[in-house]
Amino acid sequence: MGSYNNCASSPKHFSATAFQQTKTIKPHRLPSNLIPPYPYGERRVYKQSNRGLYGNARIRFGNNVAEKHNNKSRRFWRPNIHAKTFFSPSLGARVKTRLTLRVLKTIRREGGIENYLLKSKPARIKELGPGGWNLRWILMQTLAVQQRLNEQRIELGLEPREIESRDDIIHFALDYATPGPLNMRSRATLKEMQASIVDTFVLGDDSLANFEGVEELSDEEEQKLLSGSEDFDGSPAPSGRQIV
């Protein structure tokens, strides 16, 4: 009874400050059709490395050698892979990814995952892989990183670029990379992007039914036209006449 009274009279601490909610995203779930393609392409030898920060790690092959009779047997070594969650201040989200111990040490040495991703040396870009490339592109759309890149351009004597607000794209990418259905804002952004793609790539009516005497140009006819063997109206050029 006494212990109950002590528990009931103990003060309780309350806070009116709302807890800051952050998403936990996975880089390999980011929308690849929204992000420019990775310049080095997907890795074909160790495909698992496309879904994380594996650096240059690969499966290594070798032999087990018996000490007594010097017999050899084939074996392989897998990279030392771990799962780690980092907080990105620019994105306001946590990034959960698989990575090797060597990449983890590099991230700590660089001062965080953002510094690791934003380094622009060719060796670092090749080390990122498709997963790291996707995360790097989303990170570069934030206002904080755009301002940071402009400061670097000013230090190099270059003109700063105009800072654009891309919050809708960032919100859509983060929502897409989070398990579960898209929210209303992300669905509206997706419809706008689909409409802009249609307006960009469809030039008029792609059907030739409304044009009499017009047929689709074949590859052979295109080569003849580009080589200058025929006149612009499609008729052969007269002998001795020069087409300019």
Side-chain angles (χ1 to χ4, degrees):
M1 188 69 179
S3 61
Y4 175 79
N5 291 333
N6 292 335
C7 295
S9 60
S10 60
K12 296 183 179 181
H13 301 281
F14 295 94
S15 176
T17 304
F19 179 74
Q20 183 180 6
Q21 296 182 355
T22 57
K23 291 179 174 291
T24 301
I25 65 173
K26 298 181 179 181
H28 68 273
R29 292 179 57 93
L30 291 170
S32 57
N33 56 349
L34 175 66
I35 302 172
Y38 181 53
Y40 295 99
E42 291 190 355
R43 295 164 176 172
R44 300 179 180 271
V45 176
Y46 191 37
K47 295 184 178 180
Q48 181 180 344
S49 62
N50 294 323
R51 302 167 62 90
L53 300 176
Y54 283 50
N56 298 319
R58 299 290 186 274
I59 296 180
R60 295 182 298 169
F61 297 89
N63 298 317
N64 281 332
V65 182
E67 295 182 359
K68 185 175 181 180
H69 300 288
N70 201 27
N71 294 330
K72 296 181 180 180
S73 59
R74 295 291 294 174
R75 64 156 297 178
F76 62 89
W77 293 266
R78 296 184 182 276
N80 190 8
I81 305 301
H82 302 271
K84 183 67 178 178
T85 302
F86 302 93
F87 178 72
S88 174
S90 299
L91 292 174
R94 293 185 294 266
V95 180
K96 184 177 182 180
T97 181
R98 293 181 179 180
L99 75 171
T100 62
L101 185 60
R102 177 170 303 207
V103 172
L104 179 59
K105 291 180 179 179
T106 306
I107 291 175
R108 298 305 185 192
R109 185 172 63 250
E110 295 285 355
I113 189 171
E114 292 190 359
N115 295 336
Y116 173 79
L117 294 172
L118 294 175
K119 198 168 183 178
S120 58
K121 289 186 176 181
R124 178 59 53 81
I125 299 298
K126 193 171 184 179
E127 181 181 325
L128 291 179
W133 171 263
N134 293 348
L135 189 58
R136 170 189 168 90
W137 187 86
I138 293 297
L139 192 62
M140 293 180 68
Q141 310 309 308
T142 61
L143 295 177
V145 175
Q146 289 186 60
Q147 182 64 34
R148 174 180 173 180
L149 296 178
N150 271 346
E151 293 176 357
Q152 295 178 0
R153 292 177 63 87
I154 293 175
E155 292 178 357
L156 296 174
L158 303 176
E159 295 184 359
R161 295 181 178 178
E162 181 181 358
I163 297 180
E164 301 179 4
S165 178
R166 300 167 183 168
D167 291 340
D168 291 340
I169 299 296
I170 298 173
H171 180 85
F172 168 76
L174 296 183
D175 194 18
Y176 191 93
T178 306
L182 298 177
N183 55 30
M184 295 182 61
R185 180 181 177 183
S186 298
R187 290 198 296 267
T189 304
L190 179 59
K191 290 182 179 179
E192 292 179 359
M193 290 190 298
Q194 291 174 345
S196 63
I197 291 175
V198 171
D199 294 339
T200 301
F201 291 98
V202 177
L203 302 177
D205 188 4
D206 57 349
S207 175
L208 300 177
N210 297 329
F211 298 90
E212 298 180 358
V214 176
E215 297 181 357
E216 187 176 356
L217 190 65
S218 64
D219 295 338
E220 293 79 5
E221 293 173 347
E222 180 182 352
Q223 290 295 332
K224 291 180 180 179
L225 290 176
L226 294 178
S227 62
S229 60
E230 293 184 352
D231 203 347
F232 294 104
D233 59 358
S235 59
S239 59
R241 177 182 172 186
Q242 182 180 5
I243 300 177
V244 293

